[in-house]
């Protein structure tokens, strides 16, 4: 009987202590975590009057990396070093290259041996400005004929002279009259230009007497057969080289 009473007493004490612990555990309610977006009044009512909402501030989202499309840059065509000449036109597409307008030289203006009846001695040069031909008399009723460019209207002339000087790749000193005339048109000529492929006198020159006129080459071969010069007789470079080798200083020249 004594043992039974003791057991009941221990059981009751345990129950009472457990209830006290439970009351102590829930005496203060745990904090209610509420999102800033849900902190509305009706939500607070659900939490109860004694709730202590703990609101954690929203952290700013990390900025997303911005991927920009790299702008396409068209590369400039590289110049091509070819045979010692900086040739930029070959580096450009064909459609972008400047296309010079050049008329094809007529076959009759190419060098050829023709029948030519004259009383002039072999070695004489006869220039027919009307037909744009230069004849080098060879004798036996023949002559070597070349196509030439002659003086434009207002610059025609005729006469007889002799070759007083020969020059290879001559330099060019424009006459003062030509400089003034071209300046009035807005074209400014250099006081002097050294010989070379860009020089308008071309590869060779044969000076006529004490005049300003010459038989010379040209860097514009498509003008052969036309009246375009300021009085000089111009030839293709390959033709003037051929003539240059065939005549000497003192050669008689007839311009008609």
């Amino acid at each position: 009987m004594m043992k039974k009473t003791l057991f009941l007493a221990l059981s009751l004490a345990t129950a009472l202590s457990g209830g006290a612990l439970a009351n102590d555990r829930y005496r203060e309610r745990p904090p209610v975590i509420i999102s800033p977006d849900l902190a509305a009044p009706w939500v607070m009512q659900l939490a109860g009057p004694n709730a202590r909402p703990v609101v954690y501030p929203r952290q700013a989202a990390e900025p997303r990396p911005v991927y920009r499309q790299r702008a396409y840059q068209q590369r400039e065509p590289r110049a091509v070093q070819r045979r010692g000449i900086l040739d930029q036109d070959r580096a450009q597409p064909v459609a972008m290259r400047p296309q010079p307008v050049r008329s094809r030289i007529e076959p009759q203006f190419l060098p050829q041996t023709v029948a030519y009846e004259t009383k002039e001695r072999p070695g004489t040069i006869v220039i027919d400005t009307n037909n744009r031909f230069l004849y080098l008399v060879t004798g036996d009723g023949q002559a070597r004929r070349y196509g030439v460019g002659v003086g434009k209207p207002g610059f025609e002339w005729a006469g007889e002279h002799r070759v007083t000087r020969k020059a290879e790749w001559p330099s060019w000193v424009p006459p003062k009259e030509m400089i003034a005339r071209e300046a009035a048109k807005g074209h400014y000529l250099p006081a002097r230009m050294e010989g070379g492929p860009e020089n308008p006198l071309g590869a060779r020159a044969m000076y006529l007497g004490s005049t300003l006129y010459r038989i010379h080459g040209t860097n514009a071969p498509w003008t052969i057969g036309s009246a375009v010069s300021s009085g000089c007789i111009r030839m293709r470079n390959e033709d003037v080289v051929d003539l240059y080798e065939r005549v000497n200083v003192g050669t008689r020249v007839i311009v008609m």
Side-chain angles (χ1 to χ4, degrees):
M1 185 69 180
M2 181 65 71
K3 292 182 178 181
K4 185 176 182 180
T5 303
L6 182 60
F7 177 75
L8 290 175
L10 290 174
S11 299
L12 179 60
T14 302
L16 291 175
S17 62
L21 292 174
N23 290 334
D24 292 341
R25 182 183 302 174
Y26 295 103
R27 183 175 298 175
E28 293 184 2
R29 295 184 180 182
V32 179
I33 300 174
I34 302 176
S35 171
D37 297 336
L38 299 178
W42 65 273
V43 177
M44 298 300 297
Q45 292 176 4
L46 293 177
N50 297 324
R52 292 184 296 104
V54 179
V55 180
Y56 294 95
R58 177 183 296 175
Q59 296 182 355
E62 295 183 0
R64 296 181 179 179
V66 179
Y67 297 96
R68 296 182 179 178
Q69 185 176 5
R70 181 178 297 177
Y72 174 75
Q73 297 180 354
Q74 185 177 3
R75 294 182 178 179
E76 295 293 334
R78 295 184 301 175
V80 178
Q81 190 76 19
R82 180 175 176 272
R83 295 184 181 177
I85 300 176
L86 191 61
D87 186 1
Q88 296 189 3
D89 286 343
R90 291 186 177 272
Q92 298 179 358
V94 176
M96 297 175 59
R97 296 180 193 170
Q99 301 295 328
V101 179
R102 297 183 180 183
S103 58
R104 183 179 179 183
I105 187 170
E106 298 296 331
Q108 67 267 23
F109 296 125
L110 297 176
Q112 51 194 291
T113 299
V114 297
Y116 189 71
E117 295 294 336
T118 181
K119 297 180 180 179
E120 302 298 335
R121 299 177 56 182
T124 301
I125 294 176
V126 180
I127 301 173
D128 182 352
T129 57
N130 289 331
N131 294 308
R132 302 355 181 205
F133 290 130
L134 181 151
Y135 297 91
L136 175 61
V137 179
T138 58
D140 298 328
Q142 292 184 327
R144 184 165 178 79
R145 189 181 73 185
Y146 306 86
V148 296
V150 299
K152 56 191 173 183
F155 293 87
E156 308 96 333
W157 65 279
E160 179 178 332
H161 297 282
R162 291 187 179 273
V163 175
T164 52
R165 185 165 73 92
K166 298 168 61 179
E168 299 183 5
W169 294 107
S171 58
W172 179 44
V173 179
K176 295 181 179 179
E177 297 80 4
M178 178 183 291
I179 293 176
R181 185 170 60 249
E182 293 299 318
K185 301 177 184 178
H187 304 151
Y188 298 96
L189 301 179
R192 178 186 176 86
M193 180 182 290
E194 295 300 325
E198 300 300 324
N199 192 304
L201 296 186
R204 302 289 187 273
M206 290 159 277
Y207 295 80
L208 304 179
S210 58
T211 70
L212 298 176
Y213 301 127
R214 294 151 293 212
I215 301 172
H216 63 78
T218 180
N219 55 13
W222 55 91
T223 62
I224 299 303
S226 304
V228 292
S229 75
S230 295
C232 288
I233 307 301
R234 61 175 60 177
M235 307 174 67
R236 297 191 311 164
N237 278 335
E238 51 266 52
D239 296 346
V240 76
V241 169
D242 181 74
L243 180 65
Y244 186 93
E245 300 297 332
R246 295 173 183 268
V247 301
N248 300 315
V249 171
T251 296
R252 186 165 173 248
V253 179
I254 302 171
V255 180
M256 59 182 184

